[in-house]
Amino acid sequence: MKKFLTIIKAFWQRALTYRFTVIAYRIGEMGEIVVLILMWTAIYGTQEVIKGFTLPEMITYILAGNLFHVMVRNFLSTVVAGDIKEGQLSMFLIKPMSYFSYILAREIGRISLATILSVISQFIVISFFLNVFIWNFDSVYLLVIFIMLVLAFVTELLLSYLVGLIAFWTDEVDGLYRTIERVEKFFSGGYFPLSILPAGFVNASFLLPFAYSFYVPAQLYLKKIDLATGLKGILVQLAWIVLLYGLVRVVWERGLRKYEGIGI
Amino acid sequence: MATIEVKNLSKSYEYYKKERGLFGSFKSFLFREKLYAEAVKEISFSINEGELVGFLGPNGAGKTTTLKMLSGILYPTAGEVKVLGFTPSKREKAYQKQFALVMGQKNQLLRDLPAIETFVLNKEIYEMPDDEFKRNLDELIELFEIKDILDIQVRKLSLGQRMKCELVAALLHKPKVLFLDEPTIGLDVVAQKKIRDFIKKYNQEKKTAIILTSHYMEDIRELCRRVIIINLGKIIYDGNLEDLIRKYAPHKVLTVTFNEGGASREQIEKYGEIAEYNPYGCVIKTPRSEAKNTAVALLSSDLPVDDILIDEVEIDDVVRQIFNR
Ligand SMILES: Nc1ncnc2c1ncn2[C@@H]1O[C@H](COP(=O)(O)OP(=O)(O)OP(=O)(O)O)[C@@H](O)[C@H]1O
Ligand SMILES: [Mg+2]
């Protein structure tokens, strides 16, 4: 455990040396959300309800969803891919600690500063829209959302790690990552609420892991999804975590065999 | 039992042929021809505790590949490796805590933080007790004289300073076996010398088995009694450095200085092959057995000889000659 804390601490320090970059990113994030809200406000115009969302609900969806999203996301895939491509992985393979543990601790240390600042900046944006933001202090809902976010964090870590491991097979991963990111954002409901789309589509995304980082917790917050559906979602998340963990193990083993040049 | 035991070790890399030009690129996009590069071919050697062995060879000879197999980064294609009784490719923690690999071209230090942070990180990763860590660190800091640079961001250090810190990071856990892959690459002569002195001292004090690769013959000459020479993946020499010179350098060199009016080329030619010449000094190559006689002949001739030095051929030359065969 002390290992993890030391690694997290070291990467906290590293993040602090880049504090201006970290802050600059947050300003961009805030701007993007404000633009999105202005856009929806214009679209609504005089309309009361679009696809079951009032304007305050839509704004709350965007604000709460983004708040949840910044809590669970990570940037692990580029780090993992970089280590593999540059051969830096070799320096970890010779150490008495698993790369997976190391990289997880490192990523948590690396993103925690950004995450804290993002959460703060999301609250700042929310404060601009206090007159329309819908509050929900229902503790049972908040508890379910909290559990869902913790599981979403784990899911996102495993997913990014898995995507990063693609670098074992090809050097050109950057374009692929951007594409995967966009698909993920779409399925997570980050561009717009998934319920705008046909019902079959929404049902399908309940079975995928992505919606639990944005759409589902945001809808739970708005009480547009009931608790039972939320709990079912948690089971789906658990299943995904087991599945992804298994996949990570297999892909890592196979990738490593390639890296080591086994079987030639 | 020897510390490092290598038997018939081979490694082939699998790669794909890419043809030249745009058309070639399209062609290999559709179907790729698989090729194998035999980087290491059935090499065997063994190294004992406390030995410092120089691993020599031209670019692409297979040195790094061999060190990677000894560290467990690469899986051997064939053959057997045992280090301290372990099989490196199994990557057992017990083995990993007892060796270190330093590559001049790769770093383990965190670039954006002071070196001390990496040291602390390694303490945890290698599960060192506090007092042991402190003792080792203090000792290494003193040996390397890096007290003043510990708190500077690694990316702001000079190459030489960085290399010292890399070595400290690798040695904190007191490895019994050390693989150094071009640790002096890119350093100036002063920094090279410092690293060299350090390696020497460390080897003598700790009785660590060390394999060192370097393209700088000065490193090899100063540090290694024994050298293993590898070319095109095969060992072509394994033994004493001095024997190597005796065996492969049938010549000695005489460095002669003239005074007064100097001497002309024609006057010297009959004493042996002239390697360098100017009227006030020249370098003559003569067969090993003739060296003394030639010197006497030169002194008793009517040339204005001021001084004569008899030397072994530069080891660079010997090695170059071996590589070229
Ligand atoms: N990943 C790889 N894929 C294919 N071939 C490789 C790979 N790595 C090395 N090789 C080939 O294996 C051979 C040995 O390489 P190696 O790096 O071991 O040489 P070296 O002795 O360390 O050379 P240098 O002095 O330049 O560092 C070379 O011919 C090289 O082209
Ligand atoms: Mg090399």
Side-chain angles (χ1 to χ4, degrees):
Chain A
M1 204 55 222
K2 202 164 159 231
K3 270 187 199 184
F4 284 90
L5 291 180
T6 314
I7 297 171
I8 291 173
K9 215 177 92 199
F11 281 89
W12 242 97
Q13 286 184 34
R14 183 180 170 279
L16 278 173
T17 63
Y18 286 111
R19 52 193 174 275
F20 294 117
T21 315
V22 175
I23 291 171
Y25 269 114
R26 303 295 88 75
I27 293 172
E29 273 169 23
M30 286 159 69
E32 202 175 40
I33 292 166
V34 172
V35 168
L36 207 57
I37 290 176
L38 292 179
M39 188 193 82
W40 278 110
T41 311
I43 293 175
Y44 270 81
T46 54
Q47 260 176 295
E48 274 290 311
V49 180
I50 295 180
K51 297 267 183 183
F53 277 82
T54 63
L55 180 59
E57 278 175 343
M58 184 59 84
I59 291 175
T60 307
Y61 174 85
I62 293 167
L63 291 169
N66 273 295
L67 174 66
F68 299 150
H69 180 242
V70 297
M71 289 175 177
V72 302
R73 65 159 173 212
N74 65 73
F75 308 93
L76 197 55
S77 37
T78 42
V79 179
V80 173
D83 279 350
I84 294 171
K85 264 200 300 188
E86 317 293 329
Q88 195 64 24
L89 179 62
S90 301
M91 297 316 276
F92 296 107
L93 291 181
I94 60 172
K95 291 194 172 165
M97 180 179 192
S98 88
Y99 178 68
F100 187 53
S101 323
Y102 178 83
I103 200 87
L104 286 191
R106 175 163 107 176
E107 184 64 6
I108 290 170
R110 201 170 80 105
I111 60 170
S112 42
L113 179 69
T115 305
I116 290 170
L117 288 177
S118 286
V119 169
I120 293 173
S121 64
Q122 296 303 319
F123 274 112
I124 293 174
V125 180
I126 289 176
S127 73
F128 293 159
F129 296 94
L130 274 184
N131 54 334
V132 283
F133 190 78
I134 301 165
W135 291 99
N136 174 356
F137 294 114
D138 190 327
S139 51
V140 184
Y141 271 87
L142 292 183
L143 181 69
V144 173
I145 291 174
F146 176 75
I147 295 171
M148 189 170 281
L149 291 180
V150 171
L151 295 179
F153 179 73
V154 177
T155 314
E156 293 276 342
L157 274 179
L158 290 170
L159 268 173
S160 310
Y161 188 65
L162 201 57
V163 171
L165 294 180
I166 295 173
F168 274 127
W169 289 273
T170 168
D171 286 343
E172 306 160 82
V173 281
D174 292 340
L176 191 64
Y177 290 170
R178 293 291 92 76
T179 304
I180 293 177
E181 245 169 45
R182 294 219 161 81
V183 171
E184 250 196 276
K185 185 158 185 191
F186 177 75
F187 278 98
S188 78
Y191 290 118
F192 50 80
L194 295 172
S195 50
I196 286 183
L197 300 167
F201 191 86
V202 180
N203 291 338
S205 48
F206 270 112
L207 293 178
L208 294 173
F210 314 115
Y212 297 95
S213 314
F214 199 118
Y215 176 74
V216 181
Q219 291 286 76
L220 269 172
Y221 182 82
L222 286 169
K223 295 195 176 177
K224 282 172 173 288
I225 288 180
D226 58 21
L227 281 175
T229 316
L231 290 173
K232 251 187 268 168
I234 286 177
L235 289 181
V236 174
Q237 282 185 293
L238 286 172
W240 270 107
I241 289 174
V242 173
L243 182 73
L244 286 170
Y245 183 71
L247 262 174
V248 161
R249 294 285 300 257
V250 173
V251 173
W252 167 256
E253 288 296 326
R254 306 216 65 178
L256 206 57
R257 288 166 73 95
K258 178 134 198 300
Y259 192 82
E260 298 171 308
I262 292 189
I264 345 176
Chain B
M1 195 190 63
T3 306
I4 302 173
E5 196 69 73
V6 172
K7 259 195 224 120
N8 302 325
L9 184 65
S10 301
K11 178 77 199 177
S12 329
Y13 289 104
E14 184 179 304
Y15 66 101
Y16 294 99
K17 189 172 164 185
K18 199 182 156 303
E19 285 178 44
R20 282 195 208 167
L22 190 59
F23 180 69
S25 295
F26 273 119
K27 214 172 115 192
S28 40
F29 186 79
L30 293 174
F31 86 5
R32 304 189 294 178
E33 190 181 346
K34 210 187 240 183
L35 296 171
Y36 299 100
E38 290 185 69
V40 172
K41 299 173 201 160
E42 303 210 1
I43 61 170
S44 303
F45 58 86
S46 78
I47 292 172
N48 290 317
E49 191 188 56
E51 256 193 298
L52 202 172
V53 178
F55 208 34
L56 295 183
N59 290 130
K63 303 180 296 291
T64 303
T65 305
T66 307
L67 292 187
K68 281 183 171 171
M69 285 192 280
L70 292 176
S71 327
I73 296 171
L74 292 177
Y75 198 91
T77 307
E80 207 186 323
V81 188
K82 283 261 190 254
V83 186
L84 299 166
F86 293 97
T87 304
S89 57
K90 286 188 187 154
R91 298 214 189 95
E92 290 160 279
K93 271 192 176 190
Y95 172 52
Q96 294 179 320
K97 286 185 181 179
Q98 296 188 64
F99 86 92
L101 165 70
V102 178
M103 298 205 239
Q105 325 242 37
K106 284 224 164 62
N107 39 321
Q108 64 156 322
L109 296 172
L110 302 170
R111 284 174 52 74
D112 302 306
L113 292 177
I116 186 78
E117 297 300 333
T118 305
F119 301 162
V120 173
L121 214 61
N122 274 2
K123 165 186 182 287
E124 296 305 328
I125 291 176
Y126 286 90
E127 295 166 342
M128 280 177 259
D130 289 344
D131 53 338
E132 189 189 319
F133 170 71
K134 201 170 164 341
R135 212 170 41 234
N136 295 355
L137 183 61
D138 288 345
E139 192 185 330
L140 289 167
I141 288 176
E142 188 152 335
L143 212 58
F144 269 100
E145 300 163 3
I146 53 165
K147 206 177 176 56
D148 303 332
I149 55 172
L150 279 181
D151 296 311
I152 302 176
Q153 274 186 349
V154 168
R155 64 189 161 89
K156 293 184 182 155
L157 297 178
S158 77
L159 196 57
Q161 291 170 327
R162 206 205 79 202
M163 202 57 223
K164 282 184 179 181
C165 293
E166 284 286 343
L167 278 167
V168 172
L171 296 175
L172 271 174
H173 62 285
K174 291 239 158 104
K176 293 204 183 77
V177 177
L178 185 57
F179 306 123
L180 300 172
D181 195 7
E182 305 190 36
T184 52
I185 191 164
L187 302 186
D188 68 40
V189 276
V190 179
Q192 273 184 21
K193 174 105 179 80
K194 278 196 181 146
I195 299 281
R196 221 155 39 219
D197 289 346
F198 174 75
I199 295 170
K200 195 178 211 164
K201 208 160 152 192
Y202 191 84
N203 170 254
Q204 281 164 359
E205 279 176 19
K206 307 279 188 256
K207 294 279 162 267
T208 316
I210 302 181
I211 299 184
L212 168 80
T213 85
S214 175
H215 289 293
Y216 301 114
M217 286 311 140
E218 200 56 38
D219 288 350
I220 305 296
R221 196 204 340 255
E222 258 197 47
L223 293 174
C224 313
R225 257 258 193 80
R226 174 176 164 199
V227 293
I228 295 176
I229 300 183
I230 178 169
N231 194 12
L232 300 171
K234 284 204 176 113
I235 291 184
I236 51 178
Y237 181 84
D238 178 356
N240 236 311
L241 183 60
E242 284 153 30
D243 294 345
L244 173 81
I245 295 174
R246 220 163 290 144
K247 184 169 168 199
Y248 287 98
H251 293 97
K252 283 202 171 194
V253 285
L254 304 187
T255 311
V256 192
T257 340
F258 303 110
N259 47 25
E260 294 164 21
S264 74
R265 215 181 165 97
E266 292 72 39
Q267 285 174 294
I268 312 164
E269 250 166 4
K270 59 181 174 202
Y271 294 98
E273 187 188 330
I274 299 175
E276 275 169 45
Y277 169 80
N278 74 58
Y280 302 100
C282 66
V283 177
I284 304 171
K285 268 167 95 176
T286 74
R288 186 169 285 281
S289 54
E290 292 293 309
K292 252 193 229 159
N293 298 340
T294 311
V296 172
L298 272 163
L299 281 173
S300 48
S301 72
D302 48 5
L303 292 170
V305 175
D306 183 35
D307 191 18
I308 298 183
L309 283 172
I310 307 180
D311 258 325
E312 291 288 358
V313 174
E314 281 290 314
I315 127 167
D316 283 88
D317 292 335
V318 179
V319 170
R320 201 173 309 129
Q321 198 187 325
I322 296 173
F323 289 172
N324 284 338
R325 278 136 58 93

